[in-house]
């Protein structure tokens, strides 16, 4: 299985990561926490391992900790090497280095692990804790051995440089920046984030790589398939929004037909082809895991990549 390093010193991981935001989340994804849901998630977890996708992204806020707990349960029932990325949420009541350590302790308890491959700052909010305090607290945890690498999420180019500088002074290299990136959200290519990440040797973790399902081809202006959950209030899923992306879906289908792949697999493959990048694709069942895994193990031609870049230029800004 192809792998990519998290930053310069981090773990080697699969370039396709399983996102677990929906695991146990009722608020946004209307996904329950009953026994049947847990069984379905465990089957999805095993399907991921069988497909060679052993990198999972979670956060303390996902399902109010339930996502981490599910992962912890499943990990203990497996003998395969698994890499976990989770996140610390800056909040107004967290203003000391000890609060970072305490949050990590609670995440590790839920995950039933002594160490995580990647510990990320979920948002660049400062509130009452400075970036100096936060990054030094994370560097302390690297030295303690409880986290292998430090990452950030939703950081601008300037914020990423600041975090990198503080960590570097402690001998720790910033490993990653998790940001929204897909064929329909290409702003990191023009706002300095992608260029800065490459200059610093920081890996991009791309969340929402299928634009909440827009790039699957499942939703069209003429389709009877109606969006549910959070998608119902997203204007991109309106008739006008779906009409706007029809040229993109058309090319994804044409490329997919040539390679025996789905539009979603083509969209994920395009992201991975950018290099120094891990695509985080959410999955709640085994079928979704297997579908996502179909993005691996093949390559588009340069001409096909150029076609996709040209048709999605309206989403660069």
């Amino acid at each position: 299985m192809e792998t990519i390093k998290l930053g310069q010193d981090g773990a080697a991981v699969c370039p396709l990561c399983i996102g677990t935001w929906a695991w146990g989340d009722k608020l946004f994804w209307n996904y329950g926490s009953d026994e049947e849901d847990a069984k379905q998630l465990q089957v999805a977890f095993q399907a991921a391992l069988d497909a060679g996708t052993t990198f999972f992204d979670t956060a303390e806020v996902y399902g109010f900790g339930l996502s981490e707990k599910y992962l912890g349960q499943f990990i203990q029932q497996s003998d395969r090497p698994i890499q976990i990325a989770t996140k610390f949420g800056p909040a107004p009541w967290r203003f000391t280095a000890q609060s970072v350590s305490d949050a990590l302790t609670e995440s590790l308890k839920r995950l039933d692990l002594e160490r995580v491959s990647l510990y990320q700052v979920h948002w660049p909010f400062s509130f009452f804790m400075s970036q100096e305090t936060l990054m030094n607290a994370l560097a302390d945890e690297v030295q303690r051995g409880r986290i292998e690498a430090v990452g950030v999420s939703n950081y601008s180019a300037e914020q990423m440089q600041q975090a990198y500088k503080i960590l570097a002074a402690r001998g720790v290299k910033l490993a990653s920046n998790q940001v929204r990136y897909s064929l329909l959200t290409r702003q990191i290519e023009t706002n300095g984030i992608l260029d800065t990440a490459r200059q610093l040797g920081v890996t991009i973790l791309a969340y929402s790589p299928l634009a909440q399902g827009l790039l699957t081809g499942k939703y069209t202006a003429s389709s009877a398939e109606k969006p549910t959950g959070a998608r119902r209030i997203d204007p991109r899923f309106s008739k006008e929004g779906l009409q706007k992306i029809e040229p993109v879906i058309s090319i994804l289908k044409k490329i997919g037909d040539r390679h025996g792949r789905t539009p979603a697999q083509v969209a994920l493959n395009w992201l991975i082809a950018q290099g120094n990048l891990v695509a985080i694709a959410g999955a709640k069942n085994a079928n979704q895991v297997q579908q996502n895994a179909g993005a691996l193990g093949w390559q588009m031609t340069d001409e096909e990549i150029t076609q996709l870049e040209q048709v999605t230029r309206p989403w660069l800004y």
Side-chain angles (χ1 to χ4, degrees):
M1 175 65 70
E2 176 188 357
T3 61
I4 181 172
K5 283 188 71 175
L6 292 174
Q8 299 176 50
D9 300 327
V13 300
C14 176
L16 181 67
C17 177
I18 305 298
T20 65
W21 178 14
W23 290 24
D25 187 290
K26 290 183 178 180
L27 185 61
F28 289 101
W29 298 111
N30 195 30
Y31 204 66
S33 54
D34 59 30
E35 190 174 333
E36 286 305 310
D37 286 336
K39 287 180 180 177
Q40 188 177 53
L41 291 176
Q42 184 161 17
V43 173
F45 177 85
Q46 187 58 50
L49 302 191
D50 292 343
T53 49
T54 57
F55 185 32
F56 295 81
D57 177 76
T58 185
E60 60 178 358
V61 298
Y62 293 173
F64 300 104
L66 195 52
S67 174
E68 287 181 329
K69 283 184 112 176
Y70 277 141
L71 275 170
Q73 292 169 16
F74 304 157
I75 290 168
Q76 295 311 310
Q77 296 172 33
S78 174
D79 58 358
R80 304 273 289 278
I82 294 159
Q83 287 121 341
I84 299 294
T86 192
K87 306 180 193 74
F88 166 81
W93 56 88
R94 288 175 164 171
F95 52 85
T96 65
Q98 186 60 46
S99 64
V100 180
S101 179
D102 291 344
L104 174 58
T105 296
E106 292 306 309
S107 282
L108 290 173
K109 283 181 182 177
R110 287 187 290 268
L111 289 162
D112 202 3
L113 294 172
E114 295 182 355
R115 183 187 198 192
V116 288
S117 298
L118 181 67
Y119 196 52
Q120 305 158 94
V121 182
H122 211 151
W123 312 282
F125 302 152
S126 292
F127 291 114
F128 304 113
M129 188 194 305
S130 69
Q131 288 295 303
E132 286 80 5
T133 298
L134 175 55
M135 292 300 152
N136 276 296
L138 294 170
D140 288 342
E141 293 297 343
V142 172
Q143 292 176 348
R144 288 180 65 184
R146 297 208 298 171
I147 58 179
E148 188 171 348
V150 176
V152 294
S153 182
N154 301 303
Y155 272 48
S156 68
E158 183 179 354
Q159 290 164 337
M160 191 169 28
Q161 288 172 323
Q162 181 189 17
Y164 183 94
K165 183 178 180 181
I166 298 167
L167 288 171
R170 294 288 305 277
V172 176
K173 292 180 179 175
L174 180 64
S176 63
N177 187 8
Q178 184 173 151
V179 291
R180 188 186 300 271
Y181 188 29
S182 75
L183 281 164
L184 298 180
T185 45
R186 293 179 57 190
Q187 291 87 349
I188 72 164
E189 296 177 37
T190 53
N191 63 15
I193 290 177
L194 189 58
D195 287 341
T196 300
R198 287 172 174 164
Q199 290 165 11
L200 299 177
V202 172
T203 301
I204 291 293
L205 271 59
Y207 72 80
S208 197
L210 298 176
Q212 302 297 332
L214 283 170
L215 290 166
T216 64
K218 177 180 178 181
Y219 303 98
T220 65
S222 58
S223 172
E225 184 77 39
K226 300 299 180 185
T228 59
R231 296 182 181 93
R232 286 185 299 174
I233 57 174
D234 190 331
R236 297 176 303 169
F237 286 86
S238 67
K239 185 176 181 179
E240 294 76 15
L242 293 172
Q243 287 173 335
K244 184 179 178 182
I245 68 168
E246 282 178 351
V248 180
I249 301 301
S250 176
I251 291 180
L252 285 173
K253 286 180 177 177
K254 287 177 181 176
I255 294 173
D257 287 344
R258 294 187 202 118
H259 295 274
R261 307 288 169 169
T262 67
Q265 290 165 349
V266 175
L268 290 171
N269 186 277
W270 177 85
L271 267 180
I272 293 167
Q274 305 309 302
N276 194 38
L277 181 145
V278 175
I280 302 175
K284 294 186 295 186
N285 57 57
N287 181 60
Q288 290 173 346
V289 168
Q290 291 158 356
Q291 285 295 313
N292 292 340
L296 300 171
W298 62 281
Q299 290 183 324
M300 280 184 276
T301 66
D302 291 343
E303 182 182 356
E304 289 167 338
I305 290 173
T306 299
Q307 282 182 315
L308 286 170
E309 289 175 346
Q310 290 178 339
V311 76
T312 57
R313 280 184 179 171
W315 286 273
L316 275 167
Y317 301 94

